[in-house]
């Protein structure tokens, strides 16, 4: 019979024959003239958005009405083939394969949630299929290049954003926060929102996202003090979010949450095993939140294309649901959109019948390779315009539905309408009860009151008193040293170097005063000058005080720890060399400070601390601030906490301190008259070095604690200066006061044992000078002895020749015997040498004993002088 109905005779027949045939076929072929067109649909009956629970019955209601209408697709019958996608793209992929590769051919696809629609719409172009979605709000689906055949009766999620921006501006909020589930629909919605709020001069201060567990994201919102929060997530994740919101106390009068309005009305009361919050806790956490919802039910009593009003539609839908609670039925709010989607499809297909017939095509001829029929359906859908139960149905150029936005607020556990927004006209209308629960809308952020932390005045005054007394002590020491500079004991301590030490100590103490001056005492513009005073006073004071002491100890070490031949050359070091050494150290400091100030000058930086909430005030926080003297490369000059970079100033000073400790240790047992206080200098160096090496790192660590940092630094300066002045000057004052500066050196020698060492040193130097003179005399005598030896040798040789000639003459003709008397002065000993004990005849006998004379003279050497000379040597 089916084949018979499909192969009706096409030859001409009479009017009576045709009537008879139609009468017979009307009994045997109930679907006469109704060719089936199949719609492949995916309805999520579970998952993140179980919208199919109400949308599927609504779509079936529309199909029944369309198929019973004689003015819409009279020759066709629409049939729905549907599956449960579970709002899961993976499951939807499998189902899409079944729809495409299992007969019959589907003329249109109708997916549900956005993630599934994205998959279906992107693949449909390959099969020349029109896609019409009833529950997809992802802004990404508005891309015509990616989804060329996609339409939807559910407006884009970006339609919420103009409404949100209007609300932000109405309540004068300029800072918001966002938290989103990491899916494409919410990411693209948030990107659109960010562009819109930026144009409106509103800042998104915090942007958090999560995949499945929102705990960390909610904690970050709390930590960042988010107040106005836009939440973009599905209903199941919304319960997880607000369970964490309850735990973090991120709700109440201080906070406003903006959520999507298409959740079930009692979504927060539904038991969910994935959360551990009670219904009461969830109800408390969600109270007061605002929703923006696309108007999905026509508020006016108008009969549209289906000849039903919105209220009549709801009544029929409730009947089809079998009395289920709408609040517990997924997709109940979107049901009008599914209903109108079927009507939009039917009207579009009905509109294509005539143009296709003109081209020789029919709808039943559609296959996945026929682009002409697809193009005709696309044109019909693109020009759709009718009144539906959800309102006026019309599509924009991207295939998205244009609609109004409903604004609601949860008050007392139920949603209350507070306004509408028409995005096409920018019109925001409010109901009479547009009053915020409580005293009014909260601030977009806590009112932050900046409060500078200043140094404790009691501490500053106390330390300043000690610094002032130290300066007075330095003046007394300096005056004493200058007044008694002619006293020999003071002269032997290098008084000019001591004067430099006193001046440097006073400059270091003077640095305590600008060190304690902050914004409480001077204007912020003048604060950099105070920073310069701190740096220069402390730097130059250290160079003068420590540099002069370092020069003393360095000179003592250089002279008394070298070899003897070098020691003689350096014992008589001129004073100007000592002053030049201090000048070099001072010049290095001045040069480095000048380079610092020219290349990287000091300026004010403000450190911010954790905000503090005063008791009893919900919207006020105290922002503690602290001013610092800083520069762009402060870690290069001084170094900073937790840095390993080179520290120019601290590195140079630290090396000087370490070297000073070493030199003081090496010279602790040396005694010298020229610098008679070098042991006291070494003790002062020990104390200064230890205090500086402890203070420098500790003050960097405590830089954020103004009182502790100032106390540690200033007291270290005060103690080091006091120790230096007391150790160097007080013993000198005591000595001169108790013994009297008018006493002679002889009296001082009798009264003190220490002067004995000085006299012994003087005698030792005198003996050394006499030794040098005697060595010169001995050298001259040795030269004279050598000359006499040569003369004796010549005379011996002459006498030998004479004797030989005399013997020869006697053999031939002996002359009369005579003895010639020689000159006694020729054999006289040198001046200062003893004459021979017994030798009355200085002639031949003396020559016979010439060797003994030589032997006695040879005993006169450098180590064997005459006894009278030896007494002079050791006098």
């Amino acid at each position: 019979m089916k084949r018979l109905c499909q192969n009706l005779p096409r030859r001409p027949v009479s009017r009576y024959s045709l009537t008879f045939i139609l009468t017979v076929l009307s009994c045997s072929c109930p679907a006469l003239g109704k060719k089936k067109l199949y719609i492949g649909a995916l309805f999520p009956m579970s998952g993140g958005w179980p919208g199919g629970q109400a949308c599927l019955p609504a779509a079936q209601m529309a199909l029944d009405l369309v198929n019973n209408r004689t003015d819409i697709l009279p020759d066709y019958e629409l049939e729905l083939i549907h599956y449960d996608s579970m709002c899961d793209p993976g499951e939807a992929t499998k189902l899409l394969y079944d729809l495409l590769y299992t007969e019959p051919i589907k003329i249109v696809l109708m997916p549900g949630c956005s993630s599934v629609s994205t998959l279906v719409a992107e693949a449909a172009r390959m099969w020349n299929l029109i896609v019409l979605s009833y529950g997809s709000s992802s802004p990404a689906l508005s891309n015509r290049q990616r989804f060329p055949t996609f339409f939807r009766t559910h407006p884009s999620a970006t339609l919420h954003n103009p409404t949100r921006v209007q609300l932000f501006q109405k309540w004068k909020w300029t800072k918001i926060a966002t938290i989103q589930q990491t899916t494409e629909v919410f990411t693209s919605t948030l990107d659109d929102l960010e562009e819109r709020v930026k144009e409106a001069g509103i800042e998104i201060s915090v942007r958090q996202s999560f995949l499945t567990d929102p705990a960390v994201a909610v904690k970050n919102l709390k930590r960042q003090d988010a107040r106005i929060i836009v939440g973009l997530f599905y209903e199941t994740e919304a319960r997880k979010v607000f369970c964490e919101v309850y735990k973090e106390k991120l709700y109440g009068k201080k906070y406003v949450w903006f959520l999507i309005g298409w959740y079930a009305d009692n979504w927060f009361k539904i038991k969910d095993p994935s959360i551990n919050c009670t219904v009461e806790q969830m109800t408390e956490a969600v109270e007061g939140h605002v929703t923006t919802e696309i108007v999905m039910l026509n508020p006016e009593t108008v009969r549209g294309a289906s000849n039903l009003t919105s209220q009549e539609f709801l009544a029929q839908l409730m009947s089809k649901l079998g009395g289920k609670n709408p609040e517990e039925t997924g997709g109940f709010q979107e049901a009008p959109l599914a209903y109108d989607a079927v009507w939009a499809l039917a009207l579009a297909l009905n509109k294509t019948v005539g143009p296709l017939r003109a081209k020789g095509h029919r709808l039943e001829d559609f296959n996945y390779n026929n682009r002409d029929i697809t193009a005709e359906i696309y044109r019909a859908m693109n020009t759709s315009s009718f009144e539906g139960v959800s309102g006026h149905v019309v599509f924009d150029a991207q295939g998205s539905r244009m609609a109004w936005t409903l604004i609601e607020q949860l008050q007392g556990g139920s949603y209350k309408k507070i306004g509408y927004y028409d995005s096409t006209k920018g019109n925001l209308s409010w109901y009479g009860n547009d009053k915020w629960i409580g005293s009014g809308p909260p601030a977009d952020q806590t009112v932050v009151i900046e409060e500078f932390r200043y140094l404790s005045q009691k501490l500053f005054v106390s330390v300043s008193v000690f610094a002032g007394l130290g300066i007075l002590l330095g003046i007394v020491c300096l005056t004493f040293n200058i007044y008694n500079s002619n006293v020999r004991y003071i002269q032997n301590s290098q008084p000019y170097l001591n004067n430099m030490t006193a001046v440097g100590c006073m400059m270091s103490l003077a640095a305590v005063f600008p060190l304690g001056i902050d914004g409480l005492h001077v204007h912020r513009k003048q604060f950099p000058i105070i920073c310069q005073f701190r740096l220069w006073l402390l730097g130059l004071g250290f160079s003068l005080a420590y540099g002069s002491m370092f020069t003393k100890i360095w000179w003592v070490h250089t002279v008394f720890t070298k070899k003897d031949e070098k020691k003689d050359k350096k014992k008589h070091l001129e004073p100007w060399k000592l002053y030049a050494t201090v000048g070099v150290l001072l010049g290095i400091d001045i040069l480095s400070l000048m380079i610092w100030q020219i290349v990287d000058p000091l300026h004010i930086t403000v450190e911010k601390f954790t905000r503090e909430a005063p008791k009893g005030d919900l919207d006020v926080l105290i922002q503690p601030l602290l001013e610092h003297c800083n520069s762009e490369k402060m870690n290069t000059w001084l170094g900073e906490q937790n840095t390993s970079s080179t520290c120019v100033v601290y590195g140079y000073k630290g090396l000087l301190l370490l070297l000073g400790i070493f030199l003081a240790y090496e010279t602790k047992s040396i005694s010298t008259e020229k610098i008679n206080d070098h042991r006291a200098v070494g003790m002062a160096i020990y104390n200064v070095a230890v205090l500086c090496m402890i203070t420098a790192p500790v003050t960097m660590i405590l830089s954020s604690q103004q009182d502790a940092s100032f106390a540690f630094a200033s007291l270290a300066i005060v103690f080091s200066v006091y120790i230096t002045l007391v150790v160097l000057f007080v013993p000198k004052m005591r000595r001169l006061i108790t013994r009297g500066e008018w006493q002679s050196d002889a009296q001082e020698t009798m009264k003190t044992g220490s002067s004995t060492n000085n006299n012994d040193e003087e005698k030792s130097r005198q003996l050394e000078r006499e030794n040098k003179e005697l060595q010169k005399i001995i050298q001259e005598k040795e030269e004279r002895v050598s000359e006499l030896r040569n003369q004796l040798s010549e005379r011996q040789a002459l006498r030998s020749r004479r004797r030989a000639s005399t013997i020869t003459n006697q053999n031939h003709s002996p002359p009369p015997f005579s003895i010639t008397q020689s000159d006694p002065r020729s054999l006289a000993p040198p001046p200062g040498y003893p004459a021979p004990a017994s030798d009355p005849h200085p002639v031949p006998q003396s020559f016979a004993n010439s060797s003994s004379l030589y032997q006695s003279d040879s005993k006169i050497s450098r180590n064997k002088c005459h006894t009278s000379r030896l007494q002079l040597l050791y006098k």
Side-chain angles (χ1 to χ4, degrees), residues 152-173:
R152 53 181 165 182
T153 55
H154 193 301
S156 171
T158 57
L159 200 60
H160 296 263
N161 291 335
T163 308
R164 291 169 180 147
V165 173
Q166 286 291 323
L167 295 177
F168 299 156
Q169 293 177 332
K170 173 180 173 60
W171 289 316
K172 299 180 180 179
W173 292 330

PDB file of all heavy atoms in Angstrom, residues 152-173:
ATOM      1  N   ARG A 152      19.991  30.467  16.187  1.00  0.00           N
ATOM      2  CA  ARG A 152      19.560  30.089  17.537  1.00  0.00           C
ATOM      3  C   ARG A 152      18.455  31.027  18.014  1.00  0.00           C
ATOM      4  O   ARG A 152      18.493  32.237  17.764  1.00  0.00           O
ATOM      5  CB  ARG A 152      20.729  30.129  18.522  1.00  0.00           C
ATOM      6  CG  ARG A 152      21.509  31.445  18.553  1.00  0.00           C
ATOM      7  CD  ARG A 152      22.645  31.367  19.517  1.00  0.00           C
ATOM      8  NE  ARG A 152      23.619  32.452  19.330  1.00  0.00           N
ATOM      9  CZ  ARG A 152      24.740  32.591  20.023  1.00  0.00           C
ATOM     10  NH1 ARG A 152      25.051  31.693  20.937  1.00  0.00           N
ATOM     11  NH2 ARG A 152      25.566  33.596  19.791  1.00  0.00           N
ATOM     12  N   THR A 153      17.490  30.414  18.680  1.00  0.00           N
ATOM     13  CA  THR A 153      16.423  31.213  19.288  1.00  0.00           C
ATOM     14  C   THR A 153      16.803  31.682  20.685  1.00  0.00           C
ATOM     15  O   THR A 153      16.109  32.525  21.258  1.00  0.00           O
ATOM     16  CB  THR A 153      15.134  30.396  19.373  1.00  0.00           C
ATOM     17  OG1 THR A 153      15.387  29.173  20.071  1.00  0.00           O
ATOM     18  CG2 THR A 153      14.597  30.074  17.983  1.00  0.00           C
ATOM     19  N   HIS A 154      17.898  31.132  21.215  1.00  0.00           N
ATOM     20  CA  HIS A 154      18.429  31.598  22.506  1.00  0.00           C
ATOM     21  C   HIS A 154      19.411  32.729  22.232  1.00  0.00           C
ATOM     22  O   HIS A 154      20.373  32.547  21.488  1.00  0.00           O
ATOM     23  CB  HIS A 154      19.127  30.449  23.231  1.00  0.00           C
ATOM     24  CG  HIS A 154      19.414  30.750  24.677  1.00  0.00           C
ATOM     25  ND1 HIS A 154      20.180  31.807  25.099  1.00  0.00           N
ATOM     26  CD2 HIS A 154      19.000  30.119  25.804  1.00  0.00           C
ATOM     27  CE1 HIS A 154      20.250  31.810  26.409  1.00  0.00           C
ATOM     28  NE2 HIS A 154      19.532  30.791  26.871  1.00  0.00           N
ATOM     29  N   PRO A 155      19.196  33.899  22.787  1.00  0.00           N
ATOM     30  CA  PRO A 155      20.122  35.008  22.530  1.00  0.00           C
ATOM     31  C   PRO A 155      21.531  34.675  23.010  1.00  0.00           C
ATOM     32  O   PRO A 155      21.733  33.843  23.900  1.00  0.00           O
ATOM     33  CB  PRO A 155      19.523  36.167  23.318  1.00  0.00           C
ATOM     34  CG  PRO A 155      18.092  35.799  23.509  1.00  0.00           C
ATOM     35  CD  PRO A 155      18.067  34.312  23.637  1.00  0.00           C
ATOM     36  N   SER A 156      22.499  35.366  22.426  1.00  0.00           N
ATOM     37  CA  SER A 156      23.890  35.198  22.835  1.00  0.00           C
ATOM     38  C   SER A 156      24.087  35.678  24.262  1.00  0.00           C
ATOM     39  O   SER A 156      23.408  36.604  24.738  1.00  0.00           O
ATOM     40  CB  SER A 156      24.812  35.972  21.894  1.00  0.00           C
ATOM     41  OG  SER A 156      26.128  35.994  22.389  1.00  0.00           O
ATOM     42  N   ALA A 157      25.031  35.022  24.941  1.00  0.00           N
ATOM     43  CA  ALA A 157      25.317  35.414  26.321  1.00  0.00           C
ATOM     44  C   ALA A 157      25.829  36.841  26.406  1.00  0.00           C
ATOM     45  O   ALA A 157      25.752  37.472  27.467  1.00  0.00           O
ATOM     46  CB  ALA A 157      26.336  34.452  26.933  1.00  0.00           C
ATOM     47  N   THR A 158      26.357  37.351  25.312  1.00  0.00           N
ATOM     48  CA  THR A 158      26.833  38.734  25.333  1.00  0.00           C
ATOM     49  C   THR A 158      25.687  39.723  25.488  1.00  0.00           C
ATOM     50  O   THR A 158      25.920  40.892  25.788  1.00  0.00           O
ATOM     51  CB  THR A 158      27.611  39.052  24.055  1.00  0.00           C
ATOM     52  OG1 THR A 158      26.772  38.796  22.923  1.00  0.00           O
ATOM     53  CG2 THR A 158      28.858  38.190  23.949  1.00  0.00           C
ATOM     54  N   LEU A 159      24.475  39.253  25.281  1.00  0.00           N
ATOM     55  CA  LEU A 159      23.325  40.146  25.467  1.00  0.00           C
ATOM     56  C   LEU A 159      23.157  40.515  26.941  1.00  0.00           C
ATOM     57  O   LEU A 159      22.521  41.519  27.256  1.00  0.00           O
ATOM     58  CB  LEU A 159      22.058  39.464  24.935  1.00  0.00           C
ATOM     59  CG  LEU A 159      20.872  40.380  24.598  1.00  0.00           C
ATOM     60  CD1 LEU A 159      21.269  41.378  23.520  1.00  0.00           C
ATOM     61  CD2 LEU A 159      19.680  39.564  24.146  1.00  0.00           C
ATOM     62  N   HIS A 160      23.741  39.712  27.848  1.00  0.00           N
ATOM     63  CA  HIS A 160      23.721  40.059  29.270  1.00  0.00           C
ATOM     64  C   HIS A 160      24.647  41.232  29.568  1.00  0.00           C
ATOM     65  O   HIS A 160      24.397  41.998  30.516  1.00  0.00           O
ATOM     66  CB  HIS A 160      24.159  38.859  30.117  1.00  0.00           C
ATOM     67  CG  HIS A 160      23.249  37.682  30.038  1.00  0.00           C
ATOM     68  ND1 HIS A 160      22.277  37.433  30.970  1.00  0.00           N
ATOM     69  CD2 HIS A 160      23.166  36.669  29.133  1.00  0.00           C
ATOM     70  CE1 HIS A 160      21.649  36.314  30.661  1.00  0.00           C
ATOM     71  NE2 HIS A 160      22.166  35.833  29.539  1.00  0.00           N
ATOM     72  N   ASN A 161      25.719  41.333  28.806  1.00  0.00           N
ATOM     73  CA  ASN A 161      26.759  42.295  29.164  1.00  0.00           C
ATOM     74  C   ASN A 161      26.321  43.749  29.080  1.00  0.00           C
ATOM     75  O   ASN A 161      26.653  44.537  29.967  1.00  0.00           O
ATOM     76  CB  ASN A 161      27.997  42.057  28.293  1.00  0.00           C
ATOM     77  CG  ASN A 161      28.674  40.740  28.634  1.00  0.00           C
ATOM     78  OD1 ASN A 161      28.539  40.235  29.746  1.00  0.00           O
ATOM     79  ND2 ASN A 161      29.391  40.177  27.674  1.00  0.00           N
ATOM     80  N   PRO A 162      25.586  44.190  28.035  1.00  0.00           N
ATOM     81  CA  PRO A 162      25.109  45.577  28.059  1.00  0.00           C
ATOM     82  C   PRO A 162      24.238  45.871  29.278  1.00  0.00           C
ATOM     83  O   PRO A 162      24.299  46.967  29.838  1.00  0.00           O
ATOM     84  CB  PRO A 162      24.308  45.695  26.752  1.00  0.00           C
ATOM     85  CG  PRO A 162      24.864  44.642  25.858  1.00  0.00           C
ATOM     86  CD  PRO A 162      25.238  43.517  26.763  1.00  0.00           C
ATOM     87  N   THR A 163      23.452  44.876  29.693  1.00  0.00           N
ATOM     88  CA  THR A 163      22.619  45.070  30.884  1.00  0.00           C
ATOM     89  C   THR A 163      23.486  45.224  32.122  1.00  0.00           C
ATOM     90  O   THR A 163      23.236  46.095  32.973  1.00  0.00           O
ATOM     91  CB  THR A 163      21.661  43.874  31.050  1.00  0.00           C
ATOM     92  OG1 THR A 163      20.962  43.673  29.827  1.00  0.00           O
ATOM     93  CG2 THR A 163      20.695  44.113  32.179  1.00  0.00           C
ATOM     94  N   ARG A 164      24.497  44.378  32.246  1.00  0.00           N
ATOM     95  CA  ARG A 164      25.385  44.457  33.403  1.00  0.00           C
ATOM     96  C   ARG A 164      26.090  45.809  33.465  1.00  0.00           C
ATOM     97  O   ARG A 164      26.209  46.424  34.526  1.00  0.00           O
ATOM     98  CB  ARG A 164      26.404  43.326  33.345  1.00  0.00           C
ATOM     99  CG  ARG A 164      25.788  41.944  33.569  1.00  0.00           C
ATOM    100  CD  ARG A 164      26.764  40.852  33.247  1.00  0.00           C
ATOM    101  NE  ARG A 164      26.200  39.521  33.454  1.00  0.00           N
ATOM    102  CZ  ARG A 164      26.503  38.458  32.748  1.00  0.00           C
ATOM    103  NH1 ARG A 164      27.371  38.561  31.733  1.00  0.00           N
ATOM    104  NH2 ARG A 164      25.931  37.291  33.005  1.00  0.00           N
ATOM    105  N   VAL A 165      26.569  46.263  32.303  1.00  0.00           N
ATOM    106  CA  VAL A 165      27.271  47.552  32.282  1.00  0.00           C
ATOM    107  C   VAL A 165      26.329  48.680  32.704  1.00  0.00           C
ATOM    108  O   VAL A 165      26.707  49.603  33.442  1.00  0.00           O
ATOM    109  CB  VAL A 165      27.868  47.816  30.888  1.00  0.00           C
ATOM    110  CG1 VAL A 165      28.447  49.224  30.803  1.00  0.00           C
ATOM    111  CG2 VAL A 165      28.944  46.775  30.562  1.00  0.00           C
ATOM    112  N   GLN A 166      25.089  48.628  32.244  1.00  0.00           N
ATOM    113  CA  GLN A 166      24.107  49.636  32.652  1.00  0.00           C
ATOM    114  C   GLN A 166      23.894  49.629  34.161  1.00  0.00           C
ATOM    115  O   GLN A 166      23.781  50.683  34.795  1.00  0.00           O
ATOM    116  CB  GLN A 166      22.783  49.380  31.929  1.00  0.00           C
ATOM    117  CG  GLN A 166      22.776  49.768  30.464  1.00  0.00           C
ATOM    118  CD  GLN A 166      22.839  51.273  30.271  1.00  0.00           C
ATOM    119  OE1 GLN A 166      22.254  52.034  31.047  1.00  0.00           O
ATOM    120  NE2 GLN A 166      23.547  51.705  29.242  1.00  0.00           N
ATOM    121  N   LEU A 167      23.853  48.434  34.753  1.00  0.00           N
ATOM    122  CA  LEU A 167      23.679  48.340  36.204  1.00  0.00           C
ATOM    123  C   LEU A 167      24.908  48.869  36.940  1.00  0.00           C
ATOM    124  O   LEU A 167      24.785  49.544  37.965  1.00  0.00           O
ATOM    125  CB  LEU A 167      23.403  46.894  36.605  1.00  0.00           C
ATOM    126  CG  LEU A 167      22.091  46.295  36.095  1.00  0.00           C
ATOM    127  CD1 LEU A 167      21.976  44.838  36.511  1.00  0.00           C
ATOM    128  CD2 LEU A 167      20.893  47.088  36.616  1.00  0.00           C
ATOM    129  N   PHE A 168      26.096  48.574  36.443  1.00  0.00           N
ATOM    130  CA  PHE A 168      27.316  49.081  37.070  1.00  0.00           C
ATOM    131  C   PHE A 168      27.315  50.612  37.082  1.00  0.00           C
ATOM    132  O   PHE A 168      27.665  51.251  38.087  1.00  0.00           O
ATOM    133  CB  PHE A 168      28.556  48.575  36.333  1.00  0.00           C
ATOM    134  CG  PHE A 168      28.710  47.077  36.326  1.00  0.00           C
ATOM    135  CD1 PHE A 168      29.447  46.445  35.336  1.00  0.00           C
ATOM    136  CD2 PHE A 168      28.116  46.297  37.308  1.00  0.00           C
ATOM    137  CE1 PHE A 168      29.593  45.078  35.317  1.00  0.00           C
ATOM    138  CE2 PHE A 168      28.249  44.913  37.305  1.00  0.00           C
ATOM    139  CZ  PHE A 168      28.986  44.306  36.305  1.00  0.00           C
ATOM    140  N   GLN A 169      26.895  51.178  35.966  1.00  0.00           N
ATOM    141  CA  GLN A 169      26.880  52.638  35.877  1.00  0.00           C
ATOM    142  C   GLN A 169      25.773  53.251  36.735  1.00  0.00           C
ATOM    143  O   GLN A 169      25.959  54.311  37.323  1.00  0.00           O
ATOM    144  CB  GLN A 169      26.725  53.065  34.415  1.00  0.00           C
ATOM    145  CG  GLN A 169      27.935  52.715  33.545  1.00  0.00           C
ATOM    146  CD  GLN A 169      27.731  53.070  32.096  1.00  0.00           C
ATOM    147  OE1 GLN A 169      26.594  53.090  31.601  1.00  0.00           O
ATOM    148  NE2 GLN A 169      28.819  53.339  31.386  1.00  0.00           N
ATOM    149  N   LYS A 170      24.638  52.568  36.802  1.00  0.00           N
ATOM    150  CA  LYS A 170      23.539  53.088  37.613  1.00  0.00           C
ATOM    151  C   LYS A 170      23.932  53.166  39.080  1.00  0.00           C
ATOM    152  O   LYS A 170      23.623  54.143  39.770  1.00  0.00           O
ATOM    153  CB  LYS A 170      22.299  52.203  37.442  1.00  0.00           C
ATOM    154  CG  LYS A 170      21.143  52.569  38.368  1.00  0.00           C
ATOM    155  CD  LYS A 170      19.949  51.670  38.174  1.00  0.00           C
ATOM    156  CE  LYS A 170      18.870  51.941  39.214  1.00  0.00           C
ATOM    157  NZ  LYS A 170      18.370  53.330  39.177  1.00  0.00           N
ATOM    158  N   TRP A 171      24.618  52.123  39.567  1.00  0.00           N
ATOM    159  CA  TRP A 171      25.010  52.092  40.973  1.00  0.00           C
ATOM    160  C   TRP A 171      26.416  52.634  41.216  1.00  0.00           C
ATOM    161  O   TRP A 171      26.974  52.457  42.291  1.00  0.00           O
ATOM    162  CB  TRP A 171      24.871  50.665  41.494  1.00  0.00           C
ATOM    163  CG  TRP A 171      23.434  50.255  41.641  1.00  0.00           C
ATOM    164  CD1 TRP A 171      22.427  51.006  42.170  1.00  0.00           C
ATOM    165  CD2 TRP A 171      22.845  49.026  41.229  1.00  0.00           C
ATOM    166  NE1 TRP A 171      21.241  50.304  42.128  1.00  0.00           N
ATOM    167  CE2 TRP A 171      21.462  49.075  41.565  1.00  0.00           C
ATOM    168  CE3 TRP A 171      23.319  47.864  40.639  1.00  0.00           C
ATOM    169  CZ2 TRP A 171      20.574  48.038  41.308  1.00  0.00           C
ATOM    170  CZ3 TRP A 171      22.443  46.823  40.384  1.00  0.00           C
ATOM    171  CH2 TRP A 171      21.085  46.915  40.720  1.00  0.00           C
ATOM    172  N   LYS A 172      27.015  53.248  40.173  1.00  0.00           N
ATOM    173  CA  LYS A 172      28.289  53.968  40.285  1.00  0.00           C
ATOM    174  C   LYS A 172      29.419  53.068  40.788  1.00  0.00           C
ATOM    175  O   LYS A 172      30.194  53.422  41.670  1.00  0.00           O
ATOM    176  CB  LYS A 172      28.135  55.181  41.213  1.00  0.00           C
ATOM    177  CG  LYS A 172      27.121  56.190  40.707  1.00  0.00           C
ATOM    178  CD  LYS A 172      26.984  57.372  41.652  1.00  0.00           C
ATOM    179  CE  LYS A 172      25.956  58.364  41.132  1.00  0.00           C
ATOM    180  NZ  LYS A 172      25.781  59.519  42.041  1.00  0.00           N
ATOM    181  N   TRP A 173      29.483  51.897  40.181  1.00  0.00           N
ATOM    182  CA  TRP A 173      30.581  50.983  40.474  1.00  0.00           C
ATOM    183  C   TRP A 173      31.645  51.128  39.397  1.00  0.00           C
ATOM    184  O   TRP A 173      31.343  51.116  38.210  1.00  0.00           O
ATOM    185  CB  TRP A 173      30.081  49.541  40.516  1.00  0.00           C
ATOM    186  CG  TRP A 173      29.171  49.261  41.679  1.00  0.00           C
ATOM    187  CD1 TRP A 173      29.188  49.849  42.887  1.00  0.00           C
ATOM    188  CD2 TRP A 173      28.099  48.316  41.705  1.00  0.00           C
ATOM    189  NE1 TRP A 173      28.209  49.336  43.698  1.00  0.00           N
ATOM    190  CE2 TRP A 173      27.517  48.384  42.997  1.00  0.00           C
ATOM    191  CE3 TRP A 173      27.574  47.415  40.788  1.00  0.00           C
ATOM    192  CZ2 TRP A 173      26.449  47.597  43.377  1.00  0.00           C
ATOM    193  CZ3 TRP A 173      26.512  46.616  41.171  1.00  0.00           C
ATOM    194  CH2 TRP A 173      25.951  46.703  42.454  1.00  0.00           C
TER     195      TRP A 173
END
